[in-house]
Amino acid sequence: MAGTDPLVPFTGPHEIPLAPMKTLVVDHPLVAHKLTTLRDERTDSPTFRRLADELVTLLAYEATRDVRVTDATVTTPVGPAQGVRLTRPAPLVVPILRAGLGMLDGMTRLLPTAEVGFIGMIRDEGTLKAQTYATRLPEDLSGRQCFVLDPMLATGGTLAAAIQLLFDRGADDVTAICLLAAPEGLAYVESLFADYGNPVRVVTAALDERLNEHGYIVPGLGDAGDRLYGVV
Ligand code: URA
């Protein structure tokens, strides 16, 4: 329910009929402030990297709201206290190379015991389809909660392929953290995973207007990989 659960079903613009995949657009002045500077074309790479890192930590706080915990008791200097600890197996954080690497430190700052897997994907700029060029993941992800780091949810092709790869290895719960999302990409991911049976969540700092004819998010922030690491 919208009033009690901050991860509410996305029913967003352009009248795209969307099934209930949980999408959260984090509404917080610090998130908006950092994102504004990230978008600014005058922001240089060192500043962009630092702000992306800080922004991811803020998004990660919301994205881990459903992270699994187990009851635990500790003894304080005064007596026993009930608490929780992260459940094992540890969550898996999966940055999508190249640009997702710029989100890794910001995420593991909040989840230092998480393990990290890598997926290398490149978008064919002609077809806009995602191609996987590297995977370094545990073979068996049964029972694992996974957090995918993909800064730009544009067409959704890259993110959808990554989520499918994780489910194929047995993951049962995937949360994607994206700096920005386009309605077209969200709708595409929803169309594939809304009825999949396993939870899929998307947490983002903003839902932008649309994609342009090159598959870039408008107004977006340009090419996230180039802005983090330089033009290739
Ligand atoms: N990838 C990017 O880096 N930026 C976009 O706007 C879309 C895809």
Side-chain angles (χ1 to χ4, degrees):
M1 264 186 21
T4 55
D5 184 354
L7 289 168
V8 293
F10 170 70
T11 50
H14 307 319
E15 296 174 359
I16 301 166
L18 295 169
M21 177 178 79
K22 286 192 168 181
T23 296
L24 173 67
V25 181
V26 176
D27 180 16
H28 190 289
L30 280 183
V31 168
H33 167 78
K34 290 177 197 300
L35 180 61
T36 304
T37 309
L38 276 184
R39 290 185 191 275
D40 190 334
E41 63 183 0
R42 296 168 304 179
T43 300
D44 60 14
S45 278
T47 310
F48 191 96
R49 283 199 289 270
R50 180 177 57 75
L51 285 171
D53 176 82
E54 292 172 6
L55 185 51
V56 170
T57 301
L58 296 174
L59 298 180
Y61 177 74
E62 292 292 354
T64 50
R65 194 168 277 278
D66 290 331
V67 73
R68 293 177 188 145
V69 291
T70 310
D71 290 342
T73 309
V74 293
T75 307
T76 78
V78 181
Q82 280 299 323
V84 298
R85 293 196 198 281
L86 291 183
T87 303
R88 291 186 180 281
L92 186 74
V93 175
V94 184
I96 300 182
L97 309 181
R98 152 178 86 133
L101 266 191
M103 303 172 73
L104 182 58
D105 286 352
M107 183 69 192
T108 52
R109 187 171 300 125
L110 273 201
L111 271 185
T113 54
E115 292 176 1
V116 181
F118 298 90
I119 302 178
M121 285 186 173
I122 189 153
R123 186 170 77 156
D124 182 311
E125 294 299 337
T127 63
L128 299 184
K129 292 208 180 322
Q131 289 172 355
T132 305
Y133 64 85
T135 50
R136 195 77 177 142
L137 295 169
E139 275 306 320
D140 182 8
L141 293 177
S142 305
R144 296 291 286 267
Q145 268 187 310
C146 296
F147 294 89
V148 178
L149 308 179
D150 185 13
M152 307 298 276
L153 174 42
T155 63
T158 302
L159 182 60
I163 294 172
Q164 189 61 58
L165 194 59
L166 297 172
F167 282 151
D168 288 347
R169 294 193 183 207
D172 60 5
D173 181 306
V174 177
T175 299
I177 303 180
C178 306
L179 300 180
L180 286 179
E184 295 90 332
L186 270 180
Y188 179 65
V189 175
E190 283 227 32
S191 71
L192 296 180
F193 297 107
D195 301 322
Y196 196 77
N198 293 335
V200 174
R201 303 177 202 82
V202 174
V203 176
T204 185
L207 178 63
D208 274 8
E209 273 169 48
R210 61 182 170 86
L211 296 180
N212 69 13
E213 63 278 22
H214 305 295
Y216 275 76
I217 298 176
V218 180
L221 50 74
D223 187 298
D226 288 354
R227 296 208 57 195
L228 281 162
Y229 301 122
V231 178
V232 287

